[in-house]
Structure formats: structure tokens, C-alpha cells
PDB file of all heavy atoms in Angstrom:
ATOM      1  N   ARG A   1     -14.689   6.762  -1.269  1.00 92.00           N
ATOM      2  CA  ARG A   1     -13.443   7.486  -1.557  1.00 92.00           C
ATOM      3  C   ARG A   1     -12.344   6.521  -2.007  1.00 92.00           C
ATOM      4  O   ARG A   1     -11.600   6.793  -2.944  1.00 92.00           O
ATOM      5  CB  ARG A   1     -13.021   8.282  -0.321  1.00 92.00           C
ATOM      6  CG  ARG A   1     -11.885   9.248  -0.579  1.00 92.00           C
ATOM      7  CD  ARG A   1     -11.566  10.154   0.614  1.00 92.00           C
ATOM      8  NE  ARG A   1     -11.324   9.408   1.843  1.00 92.00           N
ATOM      9  CZ  ARG A   1     -12.085   9.480   2.935  1.00 92.00           C
ATOM     10  NH1 ARG A   1     -13.146  10.256   2.956  1.00 92.00           N
ATOM     11  NH2 ARG A   1     -11.792   8.765   4.012  1.00 92.00           N
ATOM     12  N   TRP A   2     -12.231   5.372  -1.324  1.00 91.00           N
ATOM     13  CA  TRP A   2     -11.200   4.393  -1.685  1.00 91.00           C
ATOM     14  C   TRP A   2     -11.407   3.829  -3.085  1.00 91.00           C
ATOM     15  O   TRP A   2     -10.449   3.537  -3.793  1.00 91.00           O
ATOM     16  CB  TRP A   2     -11.192   3.220  -0.714  1.00 91.00           C
ATOM     17  CG  TRP A   2     -10.849   3.536   0.701  1.00 91.00           C
ATOM     18  CD1 TRP A   2     -10.147   4.614   1.177  1.00 91.00           C
ATOM     19  CD2 TRP A   2     -11.202   2.763   1.850  1.00 91.00           C
ATOM     20  NE1 TRP A   2     -10.043   4.557   2.533  1.00 91.00           N
ATOM     21  CE2 TRP A   2     -10.685   3.426   2.982  1.00 91.00           C
ATOM     22  CE3 TRP A   2     -11.910   1.585   2.025  1.00 91.00           C
ATOM     23  CZ2 TRP A   2     -10.837   2.937   4.272  1.00 91.00           C
ATOM     24  CZ3 TRP A   2     -12.067   1.101   3.316  1.00 91.00           C
ATOM     25  CH2 TRP A   2     -11.530   1.765   4.424  1.00 91.00           C
ATOM     26  N   THR A   3     -12.644   3.628  -3.463  1.00 89.00           N
ATOM     27  CA  THR A   3     -12.929   2.951  -4.730  1.00 89.00           C
ATOM     28  C   THR A   3     -13.194   3.902  -5.889  1.00 89.00           C
ATOM     29  O   THR A   3     -13.253   3.447  -7.035  1.00 89.00           O
ATOM     30  CB  THR A   3     -14.128   1.992  -4.582  1.00 89.00           C
ATOM     31  OG1 THR A   3     -15.280   2.731  -4.178  1.00 89.00           O
ATOM     32  CG2 THR A   3     -13.820   0.886  -3.582  1.00 89.00           C
ATOM     33  N   ALA A   4     -13.349   5.187  -5.622  1.00 89.00           N
ATOM     34  CA  ALA A   4     -13.659   6.149  -6.691  1.00 89.00           C
ATOM     35  C   ALA A   4     -12.657   6.096  -7.847  1.00 89.00           C
ATOM     36  O   ALA A   4     -13.065   6.065  -9.013  1.00 89.00           O
ATOM     37  CB  ALA A   4     -13.770   7.568  -6.125  1.00 89.00           C
ATOM     38  N   PRO A   5     -11.344   6.063  -7.580  1.00 87.00           N
ATOM     39  CA  PRO A   5     -10.404   6.005  -8.717  1.00 87.00           C
ATOM     40  C   PRO A   5     -10.576   4.740  -9.567  1.00 87.00           C
ATOM     41  O   PRO A   5     -10.418   4.785 -10.786  1.00 87.00           O
ATOM     42  CB  PRO A   5      -9.024   6.013  -8.056  1.00 87.00           C
ATOM     43  CG  PRO A   5      -9.247   6.581  -6.690  1.00 87.00           C
ATOM     44  CD  PRO A   5     -10.650   6.178  -6.309  1.00 87.00           C
ATOM     45  N   ARG A   6     -10.917   3.636  -8.941  1.00 85.00           N
ATOM     46  CA  ARG A   6     -11.109   2.389  -9.686  1.00 85.00           C
ATOM     47  C   ARG A   6     -12.411   2.417 -10.476  1.00 85.00           C
ATOM     48  O   ARG A   6     -12.480   1.924 -11.584  1.00 85.00           O
ATOM     49  CB  ARG A   6     -11.089   1.205  -8.735  1.00 85.00           C
ATOM     50  CG  ARG A   6      -9.681   0.843  -8.321  1.00 85.00           C
ATOM     51  CD  ARG A   6      -9.612   0.413  -6.871  1.00 85.00           C
ATOM     52  NE  ARG A   6      -8.254   0.467  -6.385  1.00 85.00           N
ATOM     53  CZ  ARG A   6      -7.720   1.533  -5.791  1.00 85.00           C
ATOM     54  NH1 ARG A   6      -8.399   2.629  -5.623  1.00 85.00           N
ATOM     55  NH2 ARG A   6      -6.483   1.502  -5.369  1.00 85.00           N
ATOM     56  N   ARG A   7     -13.426   2.984  -9.893  1.00 84.00           N
ATOM     57  CA  ARG A   7     -14.716   3.069 -10.582  1.00 84.00           C
ATOM     58  C   ARG A   7     -14.658   4.036 -11.757  1.00 84.00           C
ATOM     59  O   ARG A   7     -15.396   3.871 -12.725  1.00 84.00           O
ATOM     60  CB  ARG A   7     -15.814   3.498  -9.607  1.00 84.00           C
ATOM     61  CG  ARG A   7     -16.130   2.449  -8.563  1.00 84.00           C
ATOM     62  CD  ARG A   7     -17.232   2.917  -7.618  1.00 84.00           C
ATOM     63  NE  ARG A   7     -17.352   2.076  -6.453  1.00 84.00           N
ATOM     64  CZ  ARG A   7     -17.977   0.901  -6.425  1.00 84.00           C
ATOM     65  NH1 ARG A   7     -18.538   0.431  -7.500  1.00 84.00           N
ATOM     66  NH2 ARG A   7     -18.030   0.194  -5.310  1.00 84.00           N
ATOM     67  N   ALA A   8     -13.771   5.029 -11.682  1.00 88.00           N
ATOM     68  CA  ALA A   8     -13.690   6.057 -12.723  1.00 88.00           C
ATOM     69  C   ALA A   8     -12.979   5.566 -13.981  1.00 88.00           C
ATOM     70  O   ALA A   8     -13.152   6.146 -15.052  1.00 88.00           O
ATOM     71  CB  ALA A   8     -12.974   7.297 -12.177  1.00 88.00           C
ATOM     72  N   ARG A   9     -12.170   4.520 -13.861  1.00 88.00           N
ATOM     73  CA  ARG A   9     -11.433   4.021 -15.021  1.00 88.00           C
ATOM     74  C   ARG A   9     -12.112   2.787 -15.588  1.00 88.00           C
ATOM     75  O   ARG A   9     -12.404   1.837 -14.852  1.00 88.00           O
ATOM     76  CB  ARG A   9      -9.994   3.675 -14.632  1.00 88.00           C
ATOM     77  CG  ARG A   9      -9.161   4.914 -14.369  1.00 88.00           C
ATOM     78  CD  ARG A   9      -7.735   4.558 -14.178  1.00 88.00           C
ATOM     79  NE  ARG A   9      -7.633   3.631 -13.038  1.00 88.00           N
ATOM     80  CZ  ARG A   9      -6.525   3.376 -12.395  1.00 88.00           C
ATOM     81  NH1 ARG A   9      -5.415   3.926 -12.760  1.00 88.00           N
ATOM     82  NH2 ARG A   9      -6.526   2.536 -11.383  1.00 88.00           N
ATOM     83  N   ALA A  10     -12.315   2.820 -16.871  1.00 88.00           N
ATOM     84  CA  ALA A  10     -12.948   1.676 -17.543  1.00 88.00           C
ATOM     85  C   ALA A  10     -12.081   0.433 -17.339  1.00 88.00           C
ATOM     86  O   ALA A  10     -10.866   0.466 -17.508  1.00 88.00           O
ATOM     87  CB  ALA A  10     -13.094   1.966 -19.034  1.00 88.00           C
ATOM     88  N   GLY A  11     -12.708  -0.632 -16.947  1.00 90.00           N
ATOM     89  CA  GLY A  11     -12.010  -1.905 -16.778  1.00 90.00           C
ATOM     90  C   GLY A  11     -11.340  -2.083 -15.425  1.00 90.00           C
ATOM     91  O   GLY A  11     -10.929  -3.193 -15.092  1.00 90.00           O
ATOM     92  N   ALA A  12     -11.192  -1.025 -14.644  1.00 88.00           N
ATOM     93  CA  ALA A  12     -10.504  -1.146 -13.357  1.00 88.00           C
ATOM     94  C   ALA A  12     -11.246  -2.048 -12.371  1.00 88.00           C
ATOM     95  O   ALA A  12     -10.601  -2.864 -11.698  1.00 88.00           O
ATOM     96  CB  ALA A  12     -10.233   0.225 -12.756  1.00 88.00           C
ATOM     97  N   PRO A  13     -12.577  -1.945 -12.259  1.00 89.00           N
ATOM     98  CA  PRO A  13     -13.257  -2.884 -11.347  1.00 89.00           C
ATOM     99  C   PRO A  13     -13.058  -4.344 -11.764  1.00 89.00           C
ATOM    100  O   PRO A  13     -12.824  -5.215 -10.918  1.00 89.00           O
ATOM    101  CB  PRO A  13     -14.730  -2.477 -11.443  1.00 89.00           C
ATOM    102  CG  PRO A  13     -14.690  -1.032 -11.808  1.00 89.00           C
ATOM    103  CD  PRO A  13     -13.506  -0.917 -12.747  1.00 89.00           C
ATOM    104  N   ARG A  14     -13.097  -4.605 -13.056  1.00 92.00           N
ATOM    105  CA  ARG A  14     -12.880  -5.971 -13.545  1.00 92.00           C
ATOM    106  C   ARG A  14     -11.440  -6.406 -13.265  1.00 92.00           C
ATOM    107  O   ARG A  14     -11.183  -7.552 -12.901  1.00 92.00           O
ATOM    108  CB  ARG A  14     -13.212  -6.051 -15.032  1.00 92.00           C
ATOM    109  CG  ARG A  14     -13.190  -7.460 -15.562  1.00 92.00           C
ATOM    110  CD  ARG A  14     -13.722  -7.598 -16.984  1.00 92.00           C
ATOM    111  NE  ARG A  14     -13.166  -6.631 -17.917  1.00 92.00           N
ATOM    112  CZ  ARG A  14     -13.857  -5.634 -18.486  1.00 92.00           C
ATOM    113  NH1 ARG A  14     -15.135  -5.482 -18.229  1.00 92.00           N
ATOM    114  NH2 ARG A  14     -13.279  -4.796 -19.325  1.00 92.00           N
ATOM    115  N   ALA A  15     -10.490  -5.481 -13.401  1.00 94.00           N
ATOM    116  CA  ALA A  15      -9.088  -5.801 -13.120  1.00 94.00           C
ATOM    117  C   ALA A  15      -8.891  -6.137 -11.640  1.00 94.00           C
ATOM    118  O   ALA A  15      -8.129  -7.052 -11.309  1.00 94.00           O
ATOM    119  CB  ALA A  15      -8.189  -4.636 -13.529  1.00 94.00           C
ATOM    120  N   LEU A  16      -9.570  -5.405 -10.765  1.00 94.00           N
ATOM    121  CA  LEU A  16      -9.473  -5.695  -9.329  1.00 94.00           C
ATOM    122  C   LEU A  16     -10.013  -7.096  -9.031  1.00 94.00           C
ATOM    123  O   LEU A  16      -9.382  -7.870  -8.312  1.00 94.00           O
ATOM    124  CB  LEU A  16     -10.240  -4.652  -8.512  1.00 94.00           C
ATOM    125  CG  LEU A  16     -10.241  -4.886  -7.002  1.00 94.00           C
ATOM    126  CD1 LEU A  16      -8.866  -4.616  -6.409  1.00 94.00           C
ATOM    127  CD2 LEU A  16     -11.284  -4.016  -6.340  1.00 94.00           C
ATOM    128  N   ALA A  17     -11.156  -7.417  -9.593  1.00 93.00           N
ATOM    129  CA  ALA A  17     -11.747  -8.747  -9.378  1.00 93.00           C
ATOM    130  C   ALA A  17     -10.833  -9.843  -9.942  1.00 93.00           C
ATOM    131  O   ALA A  17     -10.649 -10.889  -9.315  1.00 93.00           O
ATOM    132  CB  ALA A  17     -13.134  -8.820 -10.000  1.00 93.00           C
ATOM    133  N   SER A  18     -10.236  -9.592 -11.104  1.00 96.00           N
ATOM    134  CA  SER A  18      -9.315 -10.571 -11.707  1.00 96.00           C
ATOM    135  C   SER A  18      -8.062 -10.734 -10.855  1.00 96.00           C
ATOM    136  O   SER A  18      -7.572 -11.848 -10.673  1.00 96.00           O
ATOM    137  CB  SER A  18      -8.916 -10.134 -13.120  1.00 96.00           C
ATOM    138  OG  SER A  18     -10.024 -10.170 -13.964  1.00 96.00           O
ATOM    139  N   THR A  19      -7.544  -9.628 -10.340  1.00 97.00           N
ATOM    140  CA  THR A  19      -6.364  -9.684  -9.481  1.00 97.00           C
ATOM    141  C   THR A  19      -6.672 -10.491  -8.222  1.00 97.00           C
ATOM    142  O   THR A  19      -5.869 -11.321  -7.792  1.00 97.00           O
ATOM    143  CB  THR A  19      -5.897  -8.267  -9.108  1.00 97.00           C
ATOM    144  OG1 THR A  19      -5.577  -7.562 -10.309  1.00 97.00           O
ATOM    145  CG2 THR A  19      -4.682  -8.295  -8.196  1.00 97.00           C
ATOM    146  N   ASN A  20      -7.841 -10.280  -7.643  1.00 96.00           N
ATOM    147  CA  ASN A  20      -8.271 -11.041  -6.477  1.00 96.00           C
ATOM    148  C   ASN A  20      -8.278 -12.541  -6.784  1.00 96.00           C
ATOM    149  O   ASN A  20      -7.748 -13.345  -6.020  1.00 96.00           O
ATOM    150  CB  ASN A  20      -9.662 -10.561  -6.038  1.00 96.00           C
ATOM    151  CG  ASN A  20     -10.196 -11.336  -4.867  1.00 96.00           C
ATOM    152  OD1 ASN A  20      -9.661 -11.269  -3.773  1.00 96.00           O
ATOM    153  ND2 ASN A  20     -11.256 -12.101  -5.105  1.00 96.00           N
ATOM    154  N   ARG A  21      -8.847 -12.922  -7.914  1.00 96.00           N
ATOM    155  CA  ARG A  21      -8.906 -14.344  -8.300  1.00 96.00           C
ATOM    156  C   ARG A  21      -7.511 -14.904  -8.577  1.00 96.00           C
ATOM    157  O   ARG A  21      -7.183 -16.013  -8.147  1.00 96.00           O
ATOM    158  CB  ARG A  21      -9.794 -14.536  -9.526  1.00 96.00           C
ATOM    159  CG  ARG A  21     -11.270 -14.535  -9.224  1.00 96.00           C
ATOM    160  CD  ARG A  21     -12.117 -14.979 -10.418  1.00 96.00           C
ATOM    161  NE  ARG A  21     -11.834 -14.244 -11.643  1.00 96.00           N
ATOM    162  CZ  ARG A  21     -12.351 -13.058 -11.961  1.00 96.00           C
ATOM    163  NH1 ARG A  21     -13.193 -12.470 -11.137  1.00 96.00           N
ATOM    164  NH2 ARG A  21     -12.047 -12.466 -13.094  1.00 96.00           N
ATOM    165  N   MET A  22      -6.688 -14.143  -9.298  1.00 98.00           N
ATOM    166  CA  MET A  22      -5.343 -14.634  -9.646  1.00 98.00           C
ATOM    167  C   MET A  22      -4.455 -14.789  -8.412  1.00 98.00           C
ATOM    168  O   MET A  22      -3.725 -15.775  -8.294  1.00 98.00           O
ATOM    169  CB  MET A  22      -4.684 -13.711 -10.662  1.00 98.00           C
ATOM    170  CG  MET A  22      -5.284 -13.825 -12.052  1.00 98.00           C
ATOM    171  SD  MET A  22      -4.399 -12.902 -13.324  1.00 98.00           S
ATOM    172  CE  MET A  22      -4.498 -11.239 -12.702  1.00 98.00           C
ATOM    173  N   LEU A  23      -4.517 -13.824  -7.498  1.00 98.00           N
ATOM    174  CA  LEU A  23      -3.704 -13.942  -6.288  1.00 98.00           C
ATOM    175  C   LEU A  23      -4.158 -15.121  -5.439  1.00 98.00           C
ATOM    176  O   LEU A  23      -3.327 -15.858  -4.898  1.00 98.00           O
ATOM    177  CB  LEU A  23      -3.757 -12.642  -5.478  1.00 98.00           C
ATOM    178  CG  LEU A  23      -2.996 -11.460  -6.071  1.00 98.00           C
ATOM    179  CD1 LEU A  23      -3.269 -10.187  -5.286  1.00 98.00           C
ATOM    180  CD2 LEU A  23      -1.502 -11.758  -6.131  1.00 98.00           C
ATOM    181  N   THR A  24      -5.449 -15.312  -5.328  1.00 97.00           N
ATOM    182  CA  THR A  24      -5.970 -16.460  -4.584  1.00 97.00           C
ATOM    183  C   THR A  24      -5.464 -17.756  -5.204  1.00 97.00           C
ATOM    184  O   THR A  24      -4.963 -18.648  -4.503  1.00 97.00           O
ATOM    185  CB  THR A  24      -7.511 -16.424  -4.555  1.00 97.00           C
ATOM    186  OG1 THR A  24      -7.928 -15.211  -3.914  1.00 97.00           O
ATOM    187  CG2 THR A  24      -8.079 -17.619  -3.807  1.00 97.00           C
ATOM    188  N   ALA A  25      -5.556 -17.868  -6.515  1.00 98.00           N
ATOM    189  CA  ALA A  25      -5.086 -19.070  -7.212  1.00 98.00           C
ATOM    190  C   ALA A  25      -3.582 -19.258  -7.037  1.00 98.00           C
ATOM    191  O   ALA A  25      -3.113 -20.394  -6.856  1.00 98.00           O
ATOM    192  CB  ALA A  25      -5.442 -18.986  -8.698  1.00 98.00           C
ATOM    193  N   LEU A  26      -2.829 -18.176  -7.069  1.00 98.00           N
ATOM    194  CA  LEU A  26      -1.380 -18.260  -6.895  1.00 98.00           C
ATOM    195  C   LEU A  26      -1.029 -18.891  -5.549  1.00 98.00           C
ATOM    196  O   LEU A  26      -0.182 -19.786  -5.475  1.00 98.00           O
ATOM    197  CB  LEU A  26      -0.755 -16.865  -7.000  1.00 98.00           C
ATOM    198  CG  LEU A  26       0.723 -16.807  -6.621  1.00 98.00           C
ATOM    199  CD1 LEU A  26       1.573 -17.396  -7.744  1.00 98.00           C
ATOM    200  CD2 LEU A  26       1.142 -15.383  -6.320  1.00 98.00           C
ATOM    201  N   PHE A  27      -1.692 -18.441  -4.493  1.00 97.00           N
ATOM    202  CA  PHE A  27      -1.388 -18.998  -3.168  1.00 97.00           C
ATOM    203  C   PHE A  27      -1.764 -20.459  -3.077  1.00 97.00           C
ATOM    204  O   PHE A  27      -1.017 -21.261  -2.516  1.00 97.00           O
ATOM    205  CB  PHE A  27      -2.061 -18.168  -2.065  1.00 97.00           C
ATOM    206  CG  PHE A  27      -1.295 -16.920  -1.785  1.00 97.00           C
ATOM    207  CD1 PHE A  27      -1.697 -15.717  -2.338  1.00 97.00           C
ATOM    208  CD2 PHE A  27      -0.143 -16.954  -1.029  1.00 97.00           C
ATOM    209  CE1 PHE A  27      -0.974 -14.564  -2.121  1.00 97.00           C
ATOM    210  CE2 PHE A  27       0.596 -15.803  -0.807  1.00 97.00           C
ATOM    211  CZ  PHE A  27       0.183 -14.603  -1.351  1.00 97.00           C
ATOM    212  N   TYR A  28      -2.903 -20.824  -3.636  1.00 95.00           N
ATOM    213  CA  TYR A  28      -3.297 -22.217  -3.573  1.00 95.00           C
ATOM    214  C   TYR A  28      -2.438 -23.096  -4.485  1.00 95.00           C
ATOM    215  O   TYR A  28      -2.355 -24.299  -4.252  1.00 95.00           O
ATOM    216  CB  TYR A  28      -4.794 -22.368  -3.839  1.00 95.00           C
ATOM    217  CG  TYR A  28      -5.593 -21.747  -2.709  1.00 95.00           C
ATOM    218  CD1 TYR A  28      -6.482 -20.715  -2.934  1.00 95.00           C
ATOM    219  CD2 TYR A  28      -5.412 -22.178  -1.396  1.00 95.00           C
ATOM    220  CE1 TYR A  28      -7.189 -20.138  -1.878  1.00 95.00           C
ATOM    221  CE2 TYR A  28      -6.106 -21.601  -0.342  1.00 95.00           C
ATOM    222  CZ  TYR A  28      -6.994 -20.584  -0.589  1.00 95.00           C
ATOM    223  OH  TYR A  28      -7.675 -20.011   0.451  1.00 95.00           O
ATOM    224  N   ALA A  29      -1.772 -22.513  -5.463  1.00 98.00           N
ATOM    225  CA  ALA A  29      -0.845 -23.274  -6.310  1.00 98.00           C
ATOM    226  C   ALA A  29       0.529 -23.408  -5.663  1.00 98.00           C
ATOM    227  O   ALA A  29       1.198 -24.439  -5.822  1.00 98.00           O
ATOM    228  CB  ALA A  29      -0.717 -22.606  -7.682  1.00 98.00           C
ATOM    229  N   THR A  30       0.973 -22.378  -4.941  1.00 98.00           N
ATOM    230  CA  THR A  30       2.314 -22.436  -4.350  1.00 98.00           C
ATOM    231  C   THR A  30       2.380 -23.322  -3.105  1.00 98.00           C
ATOM    232  O   THR A  30       3.452 -23.829  -2.770  1.00 98.00           O
ATOM    233  CB  THR A  30       2.834 -21.027  -3.985  1.00 98.00           C
ATOM    234  OG1 THR A  30       1.975 -20.440  -3.013  1.00 98.00           O
ATOM    235  CG2 THR A  30       2.960 -20.145  -5.213  1.00 98.00           C
ATOM    236  N   TYR A  31       1.254 -23.496  -2.453  1.00 98.00           N
ATOM    237  CA  TYR A  31       1.257 -24.298  -1.223  1.00 98.00           C
ATOM    238  C   TYR A  31       1.659 -25.756  -1.478  1.00 98.00           C
ATOM    239  O   TYR A  31       2.556 -26.278  -0.796  1.00 98.00           O
ATOM    240  CB  TYR A  31      -0.096 -24.180  -0.528  1.00 98.00           C
ATOM    241  CG  TYR A  31      -0.148 -24.775   0.852  1.00 98.00           C
ATOM    242  CD1 TYR A  31       0.815 -24.480   1.816  1.00 98.00           C
ATOM    243  CD2 TYR A  31      -1.188 -25.620   1.213  1.00 98.00           C
ATOM    244  CE1 TYR A  31       0.750 -25.016   3.087  1.00 98.00           C
ATOM    245  CE2 TYR A  31      -1.270 -26.154   2.488  1.00 98.00           C
ATOM    246  CZ  TYR A  31      -0.294 -25.849   3.423  1.00 98.00           C
ATOM    247  OH  TYR A  31      -0.374 -26.384   4.680  1.00 98.00           O
ATOM    248  N   PRO A  32       1.051 -26.454  -2.445  1.00 98.00           N
ATOM    249  CA  PRO A  32       1.493 -27.836  -2.679  1.00 98.00           C
ATOM    250  C   PRO A  32       2.954 -27.926  -3.133  1.00 98.00           C
ATOM    251  O   PRO A  32       3.642 -28.907  -2.823  1.00 98.00           O
ATOM    252  CB  PRO A  32       0.557 -28.365  -3.761  1.00 98.00           C
ATOM    253  CG  PRO A  32      -0.437 -27.322  -4.036  1.00 98.00           C
ATOM    254  CD  PRO A  32      -0.095 -26.107  -3.262  1.00 98.00           C
ATOM    255  N   VAL A  33       3.429 -26.908  -3.846  1.00 98.00           N
ATOM    256  CA  VAL A  33       4.841 -26.899  -4.257  1.00 98.00           C
ATOM    257  C   VAL A  33       5.721 -26.904  -3.010  1.00 98.00           C
ATOM    258  O   VAL A  33       6.694 -27.666  -2.916  1.00 98.00           O
ATOM    259  CB  VAL A  33       5.145 -25.678  -5.156  1.00 98.00           C
ATOM    260  CG1 VAL A  33       6.644 -25.535  -5.400  1.00 98.00           C
ATOM    261  CG2 VAL A  33       4.383 -25.778  -6.472  1.00 98.00           C
ATOM    262  N   LEU A  34       5.390 -26.062  -2.052  1.00 98.00           N
ATOM    263  CA  LEU A  34       6.153 -26.014  -0.799  1.00 98.00           C
ATOM    264  C   LEU A  34       6.093 -27.356  -0.071  1.00 98.00           C
ATOM    265  O   LEU A  34       7.125 -27.868   0.381  1.00 98.00           O
ATOM    266  CB  LEU A  34       5.602 -24.910   0.111  1.00 98.00           C
ATOM    267  CG  LEU A  34       6.163 -24.880   1.537  1.00 98.00           C
ATOM    268  CD1 LEU A  34       7.651 -24.587   1.529  1.00 98.00           C
ATOM    269  CD2 LEU A  34       5.394 -23.870   2.375  1.00 98.00           C
TER     270      LEU A  34
END
């Protein structure tokens, strides 16, 4: 039920995976700055 809307839209699963990677990278980039 949670993932049905994402699975129904073309590209949404790939966007979720990309968002996961980008957010992870963002945190690991901001830490040394701090």
C-alpha cells in the first residue's frame, strides 16, 4: 500500500533510489564542513 503510488508512476522507483543516494551523500558531505 505504501509503495503502490510510487510503483504506478514511471520513474518514481528510480527517483526514490536516487533521492536515497543523494541524501546520504549530502549528509556525508556536510559533516566534514561542520
Side-chain angles (χ1 to χ4, degrees):
R1 190 174 54 244
W2 297 337
T3 60
R6 282 142 197 92
R7 292 180 193 280
R9 288 188 301 198
R14 188 171 48 248
L16 178 71
S18 294
T19 300
N20 178 66
R21 281 190 307 277
M22 287 187 300
L23 288 172
T24 300
L26 171 75
F27 281 99
Y28 293 120
T30 62
Y31 189 49
V33 171
L34 171 64

